Amino acid sequence: NALIRNLWSRLDIKVKLPGEKHSISGHLILRKPSRLGQPPRELRLKGGDSFGVAEFELGSNSQRYWYTLRAPRNDPVHTSVLHGQDDSTGSAKLALDLLSVLGVYELPADMDKQPWPVLRGYEAPAYYVLSFVEQGPTGRMRVRKDIWWHRRKQQVDLIELFDEQGNRYLSAELDDYRRFDGAQLATTIRIVWFEEKLSLELKLRDVQVNSPKVSDKNFIYRKPSWAP
């Protein structure tokens, strides 16, 4: 949203993994670059429970992005990837998926480069669907990302990501839109990774836009003490 330079919000996070569920609290902090039209690259989403047994963090700054997920019954995960390094597999890919849903890491939309944006409006009468498509090795076109825009409500309701075989592997529902200083934001985001059987629900509260609380120190990377 062009009216937002930065965002600070308290956050309630529900994490569901195979065999366990956690409800944790934290913060979401986001800052856009000074150049107009550029997607935000600075983000910090961090939370933990009161017992210190569950931890979740996603971050991005001008040098790297990182991802942490620690829960009692699953192996802890931490990854940190510099911009330009291989980011197509493993936990780095989970981080990029979430950044894409939040609008921080976008698939290219340059008309001269793949994937190409294509507007479709015939699948569901209530929606426009903005698809990002690319040409596969055999020459067949395949969809990599769908954004479902509700015509009447003028908002994004659903984002779907697809793998190289055309299989949907992520679904993100955006709900509870509210206005903050003229900017419309989804305050509930539900994300499911089907293969990993991982789901997140993010609920924003006490939202502040263009807040003086947001500064450079919010986006400093710190490696967890337990990570190898």
Side-chain angles (χ1 to χ4, degrees):
N1 195 305
L3 297 174
I4 299 176
R5 297 189 305 275
N6 67 53
L7 182 146
W8 183 97
S9 175
R10 299 188 191 278
L11 194 66
D12 295 323
I13 309 171
K14 291 183 179 179
V15 183
K16 185 177 180 181
L17 293 157
E20 60 183 309
K21 300 178 182 179
H22 295 281
S23 296
I24 57 182
S25 299
H27 293 84
L28 171 65
I29 306 170
L30 181 148
R31 183 170 65 177
K32 288 184 177 181
S34 57
R35 285 185 61 190
L36 292 177
Q38 296 295 307
R41 182 163 277 209
E42 293 177 307
L43 174 139
R44 192 72 170 269
L45 192 162
K46 185 173 184 178
D49 65 8
S50 57
F51 302 102
V53 298
E55 177 185 3
F56 177 83
E57 181 174 359
L58 175 72
S60 176
N61 59 27
S62 59
Q63 288 82 39
R64 69 175 71 228
Y65 36 80
W66 61 95
Y67 171 78
T68 298
L69 179 60
R70 184 163 61 96
R73 298 179 187 175
N74 287 265
D75 293 336
V77 174
H78 174 75
T79 187
S80 170
V81 181
L82 293 173
H83 295 300
Q85 286 185 334
D86 181 24
D87 51 24
S88 60
T89 60
S91 55
K93 183 175 180 298
L94 293 179
L96 289 175
D97 290 343
L98 187 49
L99 290 169
S100 178
V101 168
L102 295 173
V104 177
Y105 181 92
E106 282 294 339
L107 293 172
D110 188 332
M111 292 298 292
D112 294 327
K113 298 179 181 179
Q114 298 190 59
W116 298 298
V118 177
L119 185 64
R120 312 198 317 262
Y122 49 83
E123 284 89 347
Y127 290 91
Y128 289 115
V129 182
L130 179 62
S131 294
F132 291 84
V133 301
E134 66 182 12
Q135 191 172 28
T138 64
R140 181 180 178 183
M141 302 305 294
R142 58 193 181 189
V143 176
R144 298 306 304 271
K145 181 177 183 178
D146 275 348
I147 300 175
W148 291 73
W149 174 264
H150 197 284
R151 298 182 183 186
R152 179 178 57 81
K153 294 187 289 185
Q154 297 289 290
Q155 65 187 40
V156 174
D157 283 354
L158 177 68
I159 297 174
E160 298 174 307
L161 301 183
F162 300 83
D163 63 20
E164 293 184 351
Q165 287 70 47
N167 301 311
R168 186 184 65 155
Y169 71 86
L170 177 147
S171 174
E173 299 177 2
L174 286 72
D175 202 356
D176 297 332
Y177 276 84
R178 301 180 187 178
R179 287 196 171 273
F180 303 94
D181 293 343
Q184 182 169 274
L185 297 174
T187 59
T188 300
I189 304 172
R190 302 178 187 90
I191 308 169
V192 178
W193 287 266
F194 300 109
E195 184 176 348
E196 291 82 3
K197 298 180 180 179
L198 166 65
S199 66
L200 294 176
E201 180 180 273
L202 311 176
K203 283 188 174 289
L204 282 65
R205 54 185 174 86
D206 301 331
V207 176
Q208 300 178 33
V209 297
N210 304 328
S211 170
K213 293 181 180 181
V214 179
S215 65
D216 291 343
K217 67 180 182 181
N218 297 126
F219 309 104
I220 297 174
Y221 168 69
R222 294 181 177 87
K223 185 177 180 179
S225 58
W226 51 265

Tab-separated table of all heavy atoms in Angstrom, residues 53-88:
chain	number	residue	atom	x	y	z
A	53	VAL	N	9.456	-22.698	25.150
A	53	VAL	CA	9.667	-23.970	24.458
A	53	VAL	C	9.329	-23.881	22.975
A	53	VAL	O	9.709	-24.750	22.203
A	53	VAL	CB	8.843	-25.105	25.103
A	53	VAL	CG1	9.267	-25.317	26.542
A	53	VAL	CG2	7.341	-24.809	25.031
A	54	ALA	N	8.611	-22.853	22.573
A	54	ALA	CA	8.267	-22.674	21.164
A	54	ALA	C	8.756	-21.305	20.707
A	54	ALA	O	8.610	-20.309	21.421
A	54	ALA	CB	6.759	-22.793	20.945
A	55	GLU	N	9.339	-21.262	19.519
A	55	GLU	CA	9.915	-20.025	18.996
A	55	GLU	C	9.720	-19.984	17.491
A	55	GLU	O	9.888	-20.996	16.802
A	55	GLU	CB	11.409	-19.963	19.328
A	55	GLU	CG	12.139	-18.758	18.782
A	55	GLU	CD	13.641	-18.833	19.044
A	55	GLU	OE1	14.114	-19.852	19.596
A	55	GLU	OE2	14.332	-17.870	18.676
A	56	PHE	N	9.360	-18.814	16.995
A	56	PHE	CA	9.200	-18.627	15.558
A	56	PHE	C	9.762	-17.264	15.181
A	56	PHE	O	9.505	-16.273	15.860
A	56	PHE	CB	7.726	-18.704	15.147
A	56	PHE	CG	7.485	-18.458	13.688
A	56	PHE	CD1	7.628	-19.482	12.776
A	56	PHE	CD2	7.139	-17.196	13.221
A	56	PHE	CE1	7.425	-19.265	11.419
A	56	PHE	CE2	6.933	-16.969	11.875
A	56	PHE	CZ	7.072	-18.010	10.972
A	57	GLU	N	10.546	-17.228	14.105
A	57	GLU	CA	11.063	-15.945	13.627
A	57	GLU	C	11.263	-15.999	12.120
A	57	GLU	O	11.741	-17.000	11.579
A	57	GLU	CB	12.387	-15.578	14.305
A	57	GLU	CG	12.927	-14.231	13.822
A	57	GLU	CD	14.158	-13.760	14.584
A	57	GLU	OE1	14.588	-14.476	15.508
A	57	GLU	OE2	14.682	-12.686	14.238
A	58	LEU	N	10.892	-14.915	11.467
A	58	LEU	CA	11.168	-14.703	10.055
A	58	LEU	C	11.706	-13.299	9.902
A	58	LEU	O	11.125	-12.346	10.426
A	58	LEU	CB	9.890	-14.866	9.220
A	58	LEU	CG	10.026	-14.540	7.741
A	58	LEU	CD1	10.834	-15.613	7.034
A	58	LEU	CD2	8.663	-14.396	7.085
A	59	GLY	N	12.834	-13.165	9.212
A	59	GLY	CA	13.409	-11.838	9.060
A	59	GLY	C	14.003	-11.632	7.681
A	59	GLY	O	14.375	-12.581	6.984
A	60	SER	N	14.099	-10.374	7.299
A	60	SER	CA	14.713	-10.003	6.030
A	60	SER	C	15.281	-8.601	6.166
A	60	SER	O	14.638	-7.712	6.725
A	60	SER	CB	13.665	-10.049	4.906
A	60	SER	OG	14.205	-9.597	3.685
A	61	ASN	N	16.516	-8.419	5.683
A	61	ASN	CA	17.083	-7.076	5.603
A	61	ASN	C	17.805	-6.931	4.271
A	61	ASN	O	17.619	-7.759	3.368
A	61	ASN	CB	18.002	-6.784	6.804
A	61	ASN	CG	19.163	-7.763	6.915
A	61	ASN	OD1	19.615	-8.335	5.929
A	61	ASN	ND2	19.642	-7.965	8.137
A	62	SER	N	18.602	-5.921	4.116
A	62	SER	CA	19.198	-5.648	2.802
A	62	SER	C	20.269	-6.664	2.420
A	62	SER	O	20.646	-6.746	1.249
A	62	SER	CB	19.809	-4.238	2.790
A	62	SER	OG	20.790	-4.119	3.800
A	63	GLN	N	20.755	-7.482	3.394
A	63	GLN	CA	21.800	-8.457	3.096
A	63	GLN	C	21.295	-9.901	3.031
A	63	GLN	O	21.767	-10.701	2.247
A	63	GLN	CB	22.919	-8.403	4.158
A	63	GLN	CG	23.804	-7.181	4.087
A	63	GLN	CD	23.169	-5.987	4.779
A	63	GLN	OE1	22.547	-6.130	5.832
A	63	GLN	NE2	23.324	-4.811	4.196
A	64	ARG	N	20.305	-10.237	3.848
A	64	ARG	CA	19.930	-11.636	3.979
A	64	ARG	C	18.484	-11.777	4.425
A	64	ARG	O	17.838	-10.805	4.811
A	64	ARG	CB	20.838	-12.325	5.006
A	64	ARG	CG	20.607	-11.857	6.453
A	64	ARG	CD	21.449	-12.658	7.436
A	64	ARG	NE	22.862	-12.326	7.326
A	64	ARG	CZ	23.838	-13.226	7.244
A	64	ARG	NH1	23.544	-14.512	7.258
A	64	ARG	NH2	25.089	-12.857	7.158
A	65	TYR	N	17.999	-13.020	4.385
A	65	TYR	CA	16.752	-13.358	5.053
A	65	TYR	C	16.997	-14.598	5.889
A	65	TYR	O	17.912	-15.388	5.621
A	65	TYR	CB	15.591	-13.583	4.067
A	65	TYR	CG	15.941	-14.248	2.774
A	65	TYR	CD1	16.104	-15.620	2.685
A	65	TYR	CD2	16.113	-13.478	1.622
A	65	TYR	CE1	16.422	-16.223	1.485
A	65	TYR	CE2	16.440	-14.075	0.424
A	65	TYR	CZ	16.597	-15.439	0.360
A	65	TYR	OH	16.926	-16.034	-0.824
A	66	TRP	N	16.197	-14.769	6.954
A	66	TRP	CA	16.418	-15.869	7.877
A	66	TRP	C	15.092	-16.393	8.420
A	66	TRP	O	14.076	-15.706	8.373
A	66	TRP	CB	17.349	-15.462	9.013
A	66	TRP	CG	16.857	-14.345	9.879
A	66	TRP	CD1	16.186	-14.438	11.067
A	66	TRP	CD2	17.020	-12.935	9.645
A	66	TRP	NE1	15.916	-13.195	11.579
A	66	TRP	CE2	16.413	-12.260	10.731
A	66	TRP	CE3	17.621	-12.192	8.620
A	66	TRP	CZ2	16.386	-10.868	10.808
A	66	TRP	CZ3	17.590	-10.807	8.705
A	66	TRP	CH2	16.988	-10.163	9.791
A	67	TYR	N	15.157	-17.615	8.941
A	67	TYR	CA	13.945	-18.319	9.354
A	67	TYR	C	14.293	-19.241	10.513
A	67	TYR	O	15.289	-19.966	10.481
A	67	TYR	CB	13.420	-19.119	8.163
A	67	TYR	CG	12.294	-20.089	8.462
A	67	TYR	CD1	10.984	-19.645	8.620
A	67	TYR	CD2	12.543	-21.456	8.546
A	67	TYR	CE1	9.952	-20.545	8.853
A	67	TYR	CE2	11.513	-22.357	8.772
A	67	TYR	CZ	10.225	-21.895	8.923
A	67	TYR	OH	9.209	-22.783	9.151
A	68	THR	N	13.466	-19.215	11.578
A	68	THR	CA	13.662	-20.062	12.752
A	68	THR	C	12.326	-20.652	13.169
A	68	THR	O	11.327	-19.936	13.242
A	68	THR	CB	14.252	-19.255	13.932
A	68	THR	OG1	15.531	-18.748	13.568
A	68	THR	CG2	14.393	-20.133	15.169
A	69	LEU	N	12.313	-21.943	13.434
A	69	LEU	CA	11.132	-22.598	13.984
A	69	LEU	C	11.606	-23.656	14.970
A	69	LEU	O	12.296	-24.599	14.601
A	69	LEU	CB	10.283	-23.235	12.887
A	69	LEU	CG	9.021	-23.968	13.358
A	69	LEU	CD1	8.085	-23.011	14.099
A	69	LEU	CD2	8.282	-24.590	12.173
A	70	ARG	N	11.233	-23.480	16.236
A	70	ARG	CA	11.627	-24.421	17.280
A	70	ARG	C	10.389	-24.849	18.056
A	70	ARG	O	9.630	-24.010	18.543
A	70	ARG	CB	12.644	-23.778	18.224
A	70	ARG	CG	13.195	-24.708	19.293
A	70	ARG	CD	14.461	-24.113	19.892
A	70	ARG	NE	14.195	-22.828	20.509
A	70	ARG	CZ	13.950	-22.664	21.827
A	70	ARG	NH1	13.928	-23.708	22.623
A	70	ARG	NH2	13.742	-21.461	22.314
A	71	ALA	N	10.152	-26.156	18.125
A	71	ALA	CA	9.009	-26.721	18.841
A	71	ALA	C	9.444	-28.060	19.444
A	71	ALA	O	10.316	-28.743	18.897
A	71	ALA	CB	7.824	-26.915	17.902
A	72	PRO	N	8.838	-28.459	20.587
A	72	PRO	CA	9.351	-29.612	21.341
A	72	PRO	C	9.383	-30.925	20.583
A	72	PRO	O	10.323	-31.707	20.736
A	72	PRO	CB	8.390	-29.694	22.538
A	72	PRO	CG	7.817	-28.331	22.673
A	72	PRO	CD	7.740	-27.791	21.286
A	73	ARG	N	8.378	-31.224	19.760
A	73	ARG	CA	8.265	-32.557	19.170
A	73	ARG	C	8.782	-32.646	17.742
A	73	ARG	O	8.675	-33.693	17.113
A	73	ARG	CB	6.804	-33.010	19.215
A	73	ARG	CG	6.255	-33.133	20.627
A	73	ARG	CD	4.802	-33.564	20.608
A	73	ARG	NE	4.216	-33.524	21.940
A	73	ARG	CZ	2.931	-33.762	22.199
A	73	ARG	NH1	2.103	-34.065	21.210
A	73	ARG	NH2	2.470	-33.686	23.436
A	74	ASN	N	9.329	-31.559	17.226
A	74	ASN	CA	9.905	-31.558	15.886
A	74	ASN	C	11.321	-30.998	15.959
A	74	ASN	O	11.665	-30.237	16.870
A	74	ASN	CB	9.048	-30.711	14.937
A	74	ASN	CG	7.743	-31.388	14.573
A	74	ASN	OD1	7.639	-32.050	13.557
A	74	ASN	ND2	6.722	-31.247	15.416
A	75	ASP	N	12.153	-31.401	15.004
A	75	ASP	CA	13.528	-30.914	14.987
A	75	ASP	C	13.546	-29.403	14.798
A	75	ASP	O	12.831	-28.870	13.944
A	75	ASP	CB	14.307	-31.576	13.851
A	75	ASP	CG	14.511	-33.069	14.068
A	75	ASP	OD1	14.480	-33.490	15.243
A	75	ASP	OD2	14.692	-33.793	13.078
A	76	PRO	N	14.365	-28.692	15.589
A	76	PRO	CA	14.458	-27.236	15.400
A	76	PRO	C	15.091	-26.906	14.064
A	76	PRO	O	15.948	-27.638	13.556
A	76	PRO	CB	15.342	-26.784	16.572
A	76	PRO	CG	16.144	-27.993	16.928
A	76	PRO	CD	15.250	-29.169	16.663
A	77	VAL	N	14.654	-25.798	13.481
A	77	VAL	CA	15.128	-25.382	12.161
A	77	VAL	C	15.589	-23.932	12.241
A	77	VAL	O	14.902	-23.080	12.803
A	77	VAL	CB	14.009	-25.508	11.104
A	77	VAL	CG1	14.480	-24.940	9.769
A	77	VAL	CG2	13.582	-26.961	10.930
A	78	HIS	N	16.774	-23.684	11.682
A	78	HIS	CA	17.215	-22.293	11.501
A	78	HIS	C	18.000	-22.210	10.211
A	78	HIS	O	18.859	-23.058	9.938
A	78	HIS	CB	18.100	-21.817	12.651
A	78	HIS	CG	18.669	-20.442	12.402
A	78	HIS	ND1	17.910	-19.302	12.517
A	78	HIS	CD2	19.898	-20.038	11.992
A	78	HIS	CE1	18.648	-18.254	12.210
A	78	HIS	NE2	19.851	-18.673	11.894
A	79	THR	N	17.705	-21.221	9.406
A	79	THR	CA	18.453	-21.002	8.174
A	79	THR	C	18.652	-19.512	7.962
A	79	THR	O	17.804	-18.699	8.349
A	79	THR	CB	17.722	-21.611	6.962
A	79	THR	OG1	18.561	-21.512	5.808
A	79	THR	CG2	16.425	-20.880	6.665
A	80	SER	N	19.793	-19.179	7.382
A	80	SER	CA	20.103	-17.797	7.022
A	80	SER	C	20.723	-17.820	5.634
A	80	SER	O	21.707	-18.533	5.402
A	80	SER	CB	21.079	-17.176	8.028
A	80	SER	OG	21.562	-15.931	7.565
A	81	VAL	N	20.149	-17.060	4.705
A	81	VAL	CA	20.583	-17.090	3.312
A	81	VAL	C	20.861	-15.659	2.845
A	81	VAL	O	20.000	-14.788	2.968
A	81	VAL	CB	19.514	-17.739	2.411
A	81	VAL	CG1	19.994	-17.790	0.970
A	81	VAL	CG2	19.159	-19.128	2.899
A	82	LEU	N	22.057	-15.436	2.319
A	82	LEU	CA	22.371	-14.135	1.744
A	82	LEU	C	21.612	-13.966	0.435
A	82	LEU	O	21.366	-14.932	-0.284
A	82	LEU	CB	23.877	-14.013	1.490
A	82	LEU	CG	24.777	-13.984	2.730
A	82	LEU	CD1	26.236	-14.045	2.309
A	82	LEU	CD2	24.524	-12.736	3.552
A	83	HIS	N	21.229	-12.741	0.126
A	83	HIS	CA	20.559	-12.477	-1.144
A	83	HIS	C	21.463	-12.922	-2.294
A	83	HIS	O	22.652	-12.607	-2.322
A	83	HIS	CB	20.225	-10.994	-1.287
A	83	HIS	CG	19.227	-10.512	-0.294
A	83	HIS	ND1	17.966	-11.035	-0.202
A	83	HIS	CD2	19.303	-9.557	0.669
A	83	HIS	CE1	17.306	-10.421	0.762
A	83	HIS	NE2	18.094	-9.524	1.309
A	84	GLY	N	20.901	-13.680	-3.225
A	84	GLY	CA	21.665	-14.169	-4.357
A	84	GLY	C	22.155	-15.585	-4.191
A	84	GLY	O	22.555	-16.220	-5.175
A	85	GLN	N	22.155	-16.136	-2.962
A	85	GLN	CA	22.521	-17.531	-2.759
A	85	GLN	C	21.363	-18.437	-3.159
A	85	GLN	O	20.244	-17.982	-3.374
A	85	GLN	CB	22.887	-17.783	-1.298
A	85	GLN	CG	24.237	-17.224	-0.887
A	85	GLN	CD	24.590	-17.611	0.541
A	85	GLN	OE1	23.727	-17.861	1.353
A	85	GLN	NE2	25.877	-17.649	0.825
A	86	ASP	N	21.633	-19.751	-3.238
A	86	ASP	CA	20.594	-20.715	-3.584
A	86	ASP	C	19.505	-20.684	-2.527
A	86	ASP	O	19.774	-20.873	-1.346
A	86	ASP	CB	21.188	-22.123	-3.684
A	86	ASP	CG	20.138	-23.148	-4.079
A	86	ASP	OD1	19.126	-22.756	-4.692
A	86	ASP	OD2	20.336	-24.332	-3.780
A	87	ASP	N	18.284	-20.435	-2.962
A	87	ASP	CA	17.189	-20.273	-2.010
A	87	ASP	C	15.967	-21.073	-2.437
A	87	ASP	O	14.846	-20.741	-2.094
A	87	ASP	CB	16.812	-18.794	-1.862
A	87	ASP	CG	16.575	-18.119	-3.206
A	87	ASP	OD1	16.253	-18.828	-4.185
A	87	ASP	OD2	16.700	-16.894	-3.283
A	88	SER	N	16.178	-22.139	-3.209
A	88	SER	CA	15.050	-22.840	-3.818
A	88	SER	C	14.595	-24.070	-3.050
A	88	SER	O	13.603	-24.685	-3.420
A	88	SER	CB	15.422	-23.259	-5.251
A	88	SER	OG	16.552	-24.108	-5.234
